[in-house]
């Protein structure tokens, strides 16, 4: 059974190809000041030739919402690993801010438990004792002035005792509703200062890391950016999308731009279409409240999947640095044409999982999950077709799908190529020819596979598709650092390459806005699908119309 | 923590011969792969096969990465090589060729048995995760010592095409070895361990010679240099803050405690020399004289920083240390700066897992911290070395400087 919404006002025209020339330099971060070095260059002669050619300056990281799940699961283990495996300098300190009635000792105790659970590096009494000397706690609510006075006082003491030199990395690990008050108070209490260049050797620095969601639509994203921008310049803002910290996403860049083999065929001349799948086998895992206000499109497509689209489709940047890379990503996003108006009805599909079995285990329907409304209209699956109107990709559809409670967890990008222009084997018959496909698996089993045709040995001509696999795990055995570890270090080093820029976020939202509006205003059903399947059968229609089909990842 | 993988031979053939036929080795390898392959399967779509089904079909992959030649001069080294290969997990060679030279004559000088022992193995690394198991090839050739002059010519055809070739020479006795000299032009990278040079530390000059030979000389990877990586990172980190960097120009004393030479010939002296070479080459110091042995033990040398008209003298002390934590490398490095920017900077290995750093300047109170830095095993170091392809100019500069410190 499907549901529909009532038709309301007509869908408006969208300016999703935001023109950067209409934005001030700060809005986009600075591509105008190409000569400005965006990363601190070490003047230390001993750094030359070292694997880590830079190390962050001594600093204090201030985590708002430090008693929350993100700090315990991700941040603190990553920080401990960084501190004890020596990328972080001695004297590196962390000040946690939260409402809970903790003191320094309680904070240290709680964090030890978290680190022991999540860290890659063993925790000993001695290593913890030295690390925890740099952990401090400030208790207070995020909207109280007193909290920030206490924080300022504490930072001054830490600066003196731990040599932080006034360098600050603020991390908003709170609900987005607190972003505004925190930023406002940081500015008012003179704890954070606006800096209009990326770094200045003479001055201390302050930067802020913001967790997604960066808004819930284009309007709220702009409002949030304006709010953060009222205190911090774009150069100080690090919007974290942990997908970009993943080694395999960075490997997509290496695959494309460090091999000459693929670039000549990476275009409309040879590529038939691109499929991107981000499938999760889990449900909402106790985060029903959050997911109800989000859904698959906001949670996955607007952020992670558009990141994947941009790294697959962008032009080669001249440099691997913050703005060269991000400029290209934004440029290609601006060329994306999402469905608008009535197109939303037949170029997108949304779905919601019903009860079913995943890996042999019975799982409830989405509407029966904790903190989910029985009348919920939130989608747990969506699929769509996007087009990119530029010379490279015109006429090549990009099909995206994501969903929860699918048969298995997999993220992959498949580039499906066109058939050969003339098949000389046709007259022989007995053929089973499928197009070449390059598949990039982001998770799990990270790797790259190439499908091509080969002749089956024998007197007659039979062709079969074969697959050649390259698995990262087979060649580079040990897992690299966690994505958070990489991204936190980059933020401390002042390297914004793997963080989302303001224009990137706003452009991404502007691409999703017509779909969100279409779903709101048009009778677009939410198709049910059984948990443990690859989504509603209606999703096939997007592909079938173009005589294509979804891959089985 | 229990290891998540184990490596085991899955198929092997062994034979003895007087004539080493590389074609026979290939035939045997192909036969083993075929035997292992099983029916083609593992494709995504119905009827789709995995490429190269004979090369570990059934979804088991064969990673084509590089060739590794490892040479064992005695049973201790052979065991070390075999155990290391079995424990490798970072970057696995597709084909490993282990060469063992052995005495093939009895005390009277008569030849006993055939000239070559050959073993061809397919090894499998089994993981406990859901990743596919990895299979790779190991060819072991035991040769009569009299055949040492021919061995390199037999190895070359066994190297898999289009891959980088690495030579691992775990022993210290590479200087004046004909096999070493023959293999050197064949490989892209040479991996050795100068900590094994022991008392023969002047052999470090042969590394200097290799570096100087010609541009086709292989790139050198040295375990001793790898062991120094955390030390160099931590020392560099002291001087990252701008205000502390001034102390680099007022250094007056460097004291390095190194592992004394042990009965097995290993020593930390090469590490101490390379550490000195690194500091000196990065900071533009020069040698005034070679190292001098001290009555109380240890070595001493004056260095000079080329600053100002007269330059600045730096006192270098290398002190042997009996602590087991120092093994193969260093126990402690202490840098004392004076003059206008005084400070004391110490890095010390406190046990096999941890290094403690302490720094103090008049403006900055003393701060200590502990970093986790487990003394690396051979397999970890080989794994790291196999991932490196480029030359490390810092190492080459350090070697050049260190050679100047070695007494005649």
């Amino acid at each position: 059974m499907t549901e529909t919404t009532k038709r309301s006002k007509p869908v408006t025209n969208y300016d999703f190809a935001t023109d950067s020339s209409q934005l001030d330099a700060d809005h986009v971060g600075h591509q105008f000041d190409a000569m400005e070095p965006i990363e601190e260059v070490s003047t230390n002669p001993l750094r030359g030739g070292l694997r880590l050619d830079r190390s962050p300056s001594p600093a204090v990281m201030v985590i708002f919402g430090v008693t929350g799940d993100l700090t315990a699961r991700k941040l603190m283990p990553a920080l401990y690993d960084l501190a004890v495996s020596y990328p972080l300098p001695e004297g590196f300190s962390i000040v946690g801010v939260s409402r809970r009635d903790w003191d320094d000792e309680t904070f240290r105790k709680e964090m030890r438990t978290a680190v022991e659970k999540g860290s890659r590096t063993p925790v000993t009494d001695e290593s913890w004792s030295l690390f925890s000397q740099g952990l401090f706690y400030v208790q207070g609510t995020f909207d109280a002035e007193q909290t920030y006075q206490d924080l300022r006082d504490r930072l001054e003491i830490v600066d003196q005792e731990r040599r932080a030199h006034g360098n600050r990395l603020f991390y908003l690990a709170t609900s987005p509703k607190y972003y505004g008050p925190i930023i406002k108070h940081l500015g008012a209490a003179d704890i954070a200062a606006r800096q209009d260049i990326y770094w200045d050797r003479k001055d201390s620095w302050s930067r802020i890391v913001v967790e997604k969601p960066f808004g819930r639509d284009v309007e709220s994203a702009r409002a949030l950016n304006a709010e953060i921008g009222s205190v911090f310049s774009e150069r100080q803002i690090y919007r974290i999308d942990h997908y970009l910290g993943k080694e395999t996403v960075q490997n997509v860049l290496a695959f494309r731009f460090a091999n000459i083999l693929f670039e000549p065929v990476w275009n409309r001349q040879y590529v038939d279409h691109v499929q991107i799948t981000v499938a999760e086998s889990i449900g909402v895992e106790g985060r029903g409240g959050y997911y109800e206000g989000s859904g698959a499109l906001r949670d996955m497509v607007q952020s992670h999947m558009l990141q994947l689209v941009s790294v697959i489709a962008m032009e080669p940047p001249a440099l691997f640095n913050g703005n060269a890379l991000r400029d290209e990503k934004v440029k290609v996003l601006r060329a994306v044409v999402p469905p608008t108006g009535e197109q939303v009805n037949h170029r997108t599909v949304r779905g919601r999982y019903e009860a079913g079995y995943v890996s042999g285990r019975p799982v409830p329907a989405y509407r029966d999950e904790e903190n989910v409304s029985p009348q919920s209209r939130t989608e747990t699956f969506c699929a769509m077709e996007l087009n990119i109107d530029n010379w490279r990709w015109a006429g090549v559809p990009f099909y995206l799908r994501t969903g929860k409670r699918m048969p298995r967890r997999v993220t992959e990008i498949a580039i499906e190529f066109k058939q050969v222009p003339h098949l000389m084997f046709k007259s022989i018959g007995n053929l089973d020819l499928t197009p070449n496909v390059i598949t990039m698996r982001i998770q799990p089993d990270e790797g790259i596979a190439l499908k091509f045709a080969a002749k089956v040995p024998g007197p007659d001509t039979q062709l079969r598709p074969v697959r050649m696999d390259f698995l990262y795990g087979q060649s580079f055995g040990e897992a690299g650092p966690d994505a958070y570890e990489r991204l936190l270090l980059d933020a401390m080093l002042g390297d914004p390459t793997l963080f989302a820029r303001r224009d990137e976020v706003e452009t991404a939202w502007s691409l999703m806005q017509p779909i969100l509006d279409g779903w709101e205003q048009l009778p677009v059903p939410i198709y049910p699908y059984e948990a443990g399947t690859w989504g509603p059968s209606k999703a096939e229609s997007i592909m079938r119309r173009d005589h294509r089909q979804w891959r089985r990842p | 923590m229990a290891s998540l993988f184990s490596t085991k031979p899955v198929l092997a053939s062994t034979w003895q011969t007087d004539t080493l036929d590389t074609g026979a080795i290939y035939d045997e390898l192909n036969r083993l792969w075929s035997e292992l392959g099983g029916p083609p399967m593992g494709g995504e779509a119905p009827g789709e096969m995995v490429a190269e089904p004979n090369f570990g079909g059934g979804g088991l992959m064969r990673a084509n990465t590089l060739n590794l030649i490892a040479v064992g001069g005695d049973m201790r080294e052979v065991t070390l090589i075999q155990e290391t290969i079995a424990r490798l997990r970072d970057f696995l060679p597709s084909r490993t060729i282990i060469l063992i030279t052995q005495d093939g004559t009895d005390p009277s000088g008569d030849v006993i048995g055939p000239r070559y022992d050959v073993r061809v193995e397919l090894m499998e690394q089994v993981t406990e995760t859901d990743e596919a198991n990895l299979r790779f090839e190991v060819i072991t050739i035991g040769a009569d010592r009299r055949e040492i002059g021919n061995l390199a010519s037999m190895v070359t055809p066994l190297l898999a095409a289009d891959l980088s070739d690495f030579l691992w020479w775990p022993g210290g006795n590479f200087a004046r070895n004909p096999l070493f000299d023959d293999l050197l032009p064949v490989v892209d990278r040479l991996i050795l361990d100068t900590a094994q040079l022991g008392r023969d530390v002047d052999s470090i000059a042969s590394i200097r010679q290799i570096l100087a030979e010609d541009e086709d000389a292989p790139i050198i990877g040295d375990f001793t240099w790898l062991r120094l990586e955390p030390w160099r990172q931590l020392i560099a980190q002291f001087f990252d803050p701008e205000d502390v960097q001034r102390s680099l120009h007022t250094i007056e004393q460097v004291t390095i405690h190194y592992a004394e030479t042990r009965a097995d010939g290993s020593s930390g002296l090469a590490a101490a020399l390379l550490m000195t070479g690194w500091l000196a080459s990065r900071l533009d110091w020069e040698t005034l004289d070679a190292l001098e042995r001290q009555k109380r033990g240890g070595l001493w040398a004056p260095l000079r920083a080329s600053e100002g008209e007269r330059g600045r003298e730096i006192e270098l002390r290398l002190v042997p240390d009996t602590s087991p934590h120092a093994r193969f490398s260093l126990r402690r490095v202490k840098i004392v700066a004076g003059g206008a920017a005084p400070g004391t900077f110490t890095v010390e290995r406190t046990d096999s897992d941890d290094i403690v750093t302490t720094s103090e300047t008049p403006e900055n109170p003393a701060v200590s911290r502990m970093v986790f830095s487990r003394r690396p095993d051979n397999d970890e170091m080989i794994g790291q070395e196999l991932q490196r392809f480029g030359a490390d100019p810092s190492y080459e500069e350090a070697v050049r400087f260190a050679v100047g410190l070695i007494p005649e």
Side-chain angles (χ1 to χ4, degrees):
Chain A
M1 196 176 76
T2 62
E3 294 172 37
T4 57
T5 51
K6 285 182 186 168
R7 181 186 291 269
S8 55
K9 61 182 178 182
V11 177
T12 47
N13 289 325
Y14 294 92
D15 175 22
F16 35 77
T18 310
D19 178 3
S20 69
S21 64
Q22 294 170 10
L23 307 171
D24 58 44
D26 190 50
H27 199 129
V28 293
H30 57 26
Q31 65 254 52
F32 309 111
D33 42 17
M35 297 306 289
E36 183 194 336
I38 61 163
E39 296 160 26
E40 188 170 336
V41 177
S42 176
T43 54
N44 177 359
L46 296 179
R47 279 275 160 213
L50 288 182
R51 267 184 144 186
L52 293 172
D53 60 354
R54 291 175 298 152
S55 158
S57 332
V60 182
M61 182 162 164
V62 180
I63 304 175
F64 290 93
V66 78
T67 53
D69 178 54
L70 178 69
T71 307
R73 272 193 319 113
K74 292 286 181 189
L75 299 182
M76 202 52 80
L79 289 167
Y80 176 80
D81 284 333
L82 284 171
V84 299
S85 59
Y86 61 75
L88 294 188
E90 55 185 4
F92 171 77
S93 309
I94 299 164
V95 175
V97 184
S98 212
R99 279 170 298 183
R100 206 168 293 177
D101 189 18
W102 284 1
D103 56 13
D104 287 350
E105 280 319 304
T106 319
F107 177 48
R108 289 169 184 170
K109 201 172 137 215
E110 294 286 336
M111 291 305 106
R112 177 165 185 165
T113 309
V115 168
E116 280 175 344
K117 204 170 166 190
S119 152
R120 291 191 296 138
T121 326
V123 180
T124 63
D125 286 346
E126 203 177 352
S127 68
W128 182 257
S129 159
L130 288 169
F131 175 75
S132 65
Q133 282 170 16
L135 300 186
F136 308 94
Y137 186 77
V138 172
Q139 191 268 329
T141 54
F142 302 131
D143 48 6
E145 206 171 299
Q146 186 60 42
T147 306
Y148 299 87
Q149 285 174 17
D150 293 346
L151 175 62
R152 193 179 51 205
D153 294 346
R154 178 55 77 93
L155 288 172
E156 277 172 17
I157 295 167
V158 175
D159 268 348
Q160 282 170 10
E161 290 178 353
R162 308 272 306 167
R163 310 181 196 171
H165 301 287
N167 297 324
R168 316 264 184 260
L169 181 69
F170 300 101
Y171 200 110
L172 303 187
T174 66
S175 157
K177 69 182 176 189
Y178 296 118
Y179 290 179
I182 292 170
I183 288 158
K184 191 185 80 184
H185 281 292
L186 284 175
D190 213 18
I191 298 172
R194 186 181 184 86
Q195 289 164 321
D196 287 316
I197 58 172
Y198 274 101
W199 60 278
D200 183 341
R201 191 168 288 138
K202 294 187 291 296
D203 287 342
S204 53
W205 52 260
S206 53
R207 299 174 190 137
I208 187 163
V209 181
V210 187
E211 274 281 339
K212 88 177 180 90
F214 314 123
R216 52 171 286 108
D217 52 27
V218 71
E219 202 174 312
S220 59
R222 283 180 182 149
L224 173 64
N225 283 333
E227 204 157 35
I228 304 171
S230 66
V231 173
F232 296 92
S233 77
E234 183 61 25
R235 294 154 176 77
Q236 295 170 278
I237 303 167
Y238 291 73
R239 293 175 192 84
I240 198 165
D241 180 341
H242 74 275
Y243 245 54
L244 271 185
K246 284 182 181 294
E247 286 285 334
T248 36
V249 175
Q250 295 164 49
N251 269 321
V252 173
L253 298 174
F255 181 78
R256 284 197 60 197
F257 303 128
N259 296 292
I260 201 159
L261 188 63
F262 306 108
E263 183 54 23
V265 295
W266 212 261
N267 56 50
R268 64 189 303 276
Q269 201 76 22
Y270 297 96
V271 176
D272 180 75
H273 72 278
V274 177
Q275 289 187 32
I276 302 180
T277 302
V278 177
E280 294 178 287
S281 56
I282 56 169
V284 287
E285 308 298 296
R287 294 167 67 233
Y290 160 76
Y291 202 80
E292 275 286 88
S294 164
L297 186 131
R298 288 186 173 94
D299 192 44
M300 279 290 176
V301 183
Q302 183 277 333
S303 50
H304 302 328
M305 296 187 83
L306 286 182
Q307 290 284 0
L308 297 180
V309 169
S310 59
V311 295
I312 282 295
M314 71 182 187
E315 295 300 314
L319 298 166
F320 186 60
N321 83 9
N323 287 322
L325 184 80
R326 298 191 298 180
D327 286 348
E328 293 302 340
K329 282 167 59 189
V330 173
K331 204 167 87 186
V332 77
L333 284 181
R334 286 191 188 124
V336 171
V337 184
T340 57
E342 286 294 338
Q343 293 172 334
V344 173
N345 236 338
H346 51 265
R347 283 173 56 195
T348 72
V349 169
R350 54 179 175 162
R352 183 180 53 242
Y353 65 79
E354 299 292 320
Y357 286 83
V358 176
S359 302
R361 201 168 47 89
V363 296
Y366 175 69
R367 283 176 164 179
D368 295 333
E369 298 271 15
E370 200 183 331
N371 297 325
V372 172
S373 159
Q375 282 80 43
S376 171
R377 296 204 43 79
T378 301
E379 81 284 357
T380 62
F381 171 94
C382 80
M384 68 182 64
E385 176 194 338
L386 298 177
N387 290 287
I388 300 178
D389 273 4
N390 63 16
W391 273 49
R392 187 188 284 268
W393 295 115
V396 179
F398 281 62
Y399 299 104
L400 278 54
R401 71 175 157 169
T402 181
K404 285 193 174 291
R405 290 284 190 226
M406 301 188 90
R408 68 189 186 99
R409 170 177 161 259
V410 61
T411 299
E412 68 158 41
I413 303 161
I415 319 287
E416 190 156 326
F417 289 86
K418 293 181 175 174
Q419 292 282 16
V420 292
H422 168 70
L423 192 61
M424 68 172 185
F425 302 106
K426 242 174 201 161
S427 59
I428 301 171
N430 203 11
L431 296 172
D432 181 7
L433 199 57
T434 56
N436 297 139
V437 181
I438 291 178
T439 314
M440 298 175 173
R441 277 187 307 275
I442 307 297
Q443 61 185 18
D445 296 336
E446 294 87 345
I448 290 166
L450 171 64
K451 189 163 101 171
F452 58 93
K455 180 181 175 299
V456 179
D460 57 341
T461 303
Q462 283 196 58
L463 302 182
R464 282 282 180 276
V466 295
R467 190 163 54 98
M468 217 162 56
D469 254 318
F470 167 73
L471 294 176
Y472 284 105
Q474 300 292 344
S475 296
F476 307 101
E478 289 219 321
D482 176 73
Y484 269 94
E485 220 176 296
R486 163 75 196 256
L487 293 171
L488 285 171
L489 182 61
D490 281 358
M492 283 184 252
L493 285 165
D495 181 351
T497 308
L498 300 178
F499 293 85
R501 210 167 60 187
R502 177 177 181 166
D503 52 345
E504 191 179 343
V505 169
E506 291 180 11
T507 305
W509 273 119
S510 71
L511 297 177
M512 294 298 103
Q513 195 62 49
I515 300 171
L516 287 169
D517 289 349
W519 286 355
E520 188 67 35
Q521 295 159 8
L522 300 170
V524 181
I526 303 180
Y527 293 92
Y529 62 97
E530 195 181 325
T533 66
W534 289 104
S537 52
K538 179 69 182 172
E540 295 294 336
S541 67
I542 296 181
M543 304 288 279
R544 214 176 291 129
R545 194 187 53 230
D546 300 333
H547 308 290
R548 298 180 177 111
Q549 58 180 8
W550 290 107
R551 291 166 46 77
R552 180 176 55 76
Chain B
M1 194 177 74
S3 175
L4 291 175
F5 71 92
S6 60
T7 303
K8 58 177 187 189
V10 282
L11 285 174
S13 284
T14 306
W15 68 95
Q16 293 187 315
T17 176
D18 275 328
T19 313
L20 193 66
D21 177 2
T22 51
I25 293 178
Y26 272 111
D27 288 347
E28 195 55 28
L29 268 177
N30 288 335
R31 192 187 65 75
L32 295 182
W33 279 115
S34 300
E35 196 174 317
L36 198 59
M41 58 177 282
E44 285 176 356
E48 184 180 312
M49 297 185 296
V50 172
E52 298 186 87
N54 289 340
F55 290 160
L60 292 161
M61 302 308 304
R62 180 192 195 196
N64 288 311
T65 50
L66 53 91
N67 296 302
L68 173 66
I69 306 167
V71 180
D74 55 36
M75 277 323 290
R76 185 181 69 92
E77 287 172 13
V78 171
T79 309
L80 173 74
I81 291 168
Q82 286 169 336
E83 286 177 357
T84 303
I85 300 300
R87 284 201 305 263
L88 273 183
R89 57 180 181 276
D90 279 348
F91 199 77
L92 291 156
S94 313
R95 183 172 295 167
T96 300
I97 302 167
I98 303 175
L99 300 178
I100 307 164
T101 51
Q102 56 206 356
D103 198 353
T105 56
D106 66 15
S108 64
D110 293 334
V111 176
I112 44 170
R115 289 165 188 266
Y116 301 101
D117 287 318
V118 183
R119 183 174 171 82
V120 177
E121 285 171 281
L122 299 185
M123 308 278 282
E124 182 175 85
Q125 193 174 86
V126 184
T127 62
E128 283 180 16
T129 61
D130 51 5
E131 287 183 2
N133 296 344
L134 174 65
R135 288 172 178 173
F136 54 98
E137 301 161 347
V138 179
I139 302 168
T140 308
I141 301 173
D144 186 316
R145 227 180 282 281
R146 290 165 301 158
E147 302 302 327
I148 200 163
N150 307 328
L151 266 180
S153 69
M154 293 165 186
V155 166
T156 314
L158 291 174
L159 298 170
D162 286 334
L163 302 181
S164 298
D165 305 311
F166 286 58
L167 170 61
W168 178 28
W169 198 277
N173 57 338
F174 56 84
R176 297 171 293 278
N177 185 311
L179 180 57
F180 182 82
D181 293 341
D182 289 345
L183 288 174
L184 214 52
V186 174
V187 297
D188 301 296
R189 193 174 181 100
L190 165 67
I191 303 167
L192 41 77
D193 187 1
T194 46
Q196 304 291 344
L197 296 175
R199 291 184 183 84
D200 193 21
V201 75
D202 60 336
S203 291
I204 209 165
S206 19
I207 297 174
R208 167 88 173 81
Q209 204 180 329
I210 295 169
L211 293 173
E213 263 177 1
D214 60 62
E215 58 186 26
D216 292 332
I219 292 161
I220 297 180
D222 184 349
F223 283 1
T224 304
W225 189 244
L226 268 185
R227 291 186 196 99
L228 288 179
E229 171 110 12
W231 295 81
R232 293 189 294 130
Q233 287 286 358
L234 292 167
I235 290 170
Q237 208 165 50
F238 284 139
F239 302 100
D240 279 331
E242 293 264 319
D243 58 331
V244 186
Q245 260 171 46
R246 292 179 304 134
S247 299
L248 284 173
H249 305 288
T250 63
I251 291 175
E252 293 176 344
Q253 225 179 66
V254 175
T255 309
I256 302 174
H257 294 251
Y258 65 91
E260 67 168 3
T261 308
R262 293 161 56 103
D264 62 5
S266 67
S267 158
L269 181 54
L273 289 170
L274 290 173
M275 171 55 74
T276 308
W278 172 67
L279 281 170
S281 56
R282 302 306 309 172
L283 298 174
D284 263 342
W285 298 347
E286 54 193 51
T287 43
L288 288 176
D289 225 331
L291 284 161
E292 218 174 71
R293 207 160 282 285
Q294 298 289 284
K295 278 185 188 157
R296 287 177 299 163
L299 300 150
W300 177 92
L303 306 174
R304 186 170 60 194
S306 49
E307 288 166 351
E309 281 181 23
R310 291 174 50 234
R312 172 171 44 88
E313 196 167 306
I314 298 143
E315 193 182 346
L316 171 68
R317 284 183 185 282
L318 306 185
V319 183
D321 194 297
T322 55
S323 163
H325 306 319
R327 193 168 180 206
F328 300 124
S329 192
L330 307 182
R331 173 70 195 278
R332 190 164 184 253
V333 176
K334 185 178 180 186
I335 298 171
V336 179
T344 307
F345 310 91
T346 311
V347 181
E348 181 171 2
R349 180 169 281 289
T350 51
D351 58 42
S352 57
D353 284 346
D354 300 307
I355 293 179
V356 171
T357 69
T358 310
S359 70
E360 187 170 13
T361 65
E363 296 83 30
N364 296 307
V367 175
S368 288
R369 71 157 170 159
M370 175 177 278
V371 298
F372 179 75
S373 177
R374 197 157 51 81
R375 212 171 44 210
D377 297 329
N378 276 311
D379 48 305
E380 286 171 60
M381 289 191 289
I382 271 284
Q384 286 185 46
E385 279 297 338
L386 296 182
Q387 292 186 50
R388 297 179 182 199
F389 290 91
D392 182 349
S394 304
Y395 173 71
E396 296 177 1
E397 286 164 12
V399 168
R400 286 189 187 100
F401 191 92
V403 171
L405 285 171
I406 298 169
E408 293 292 324

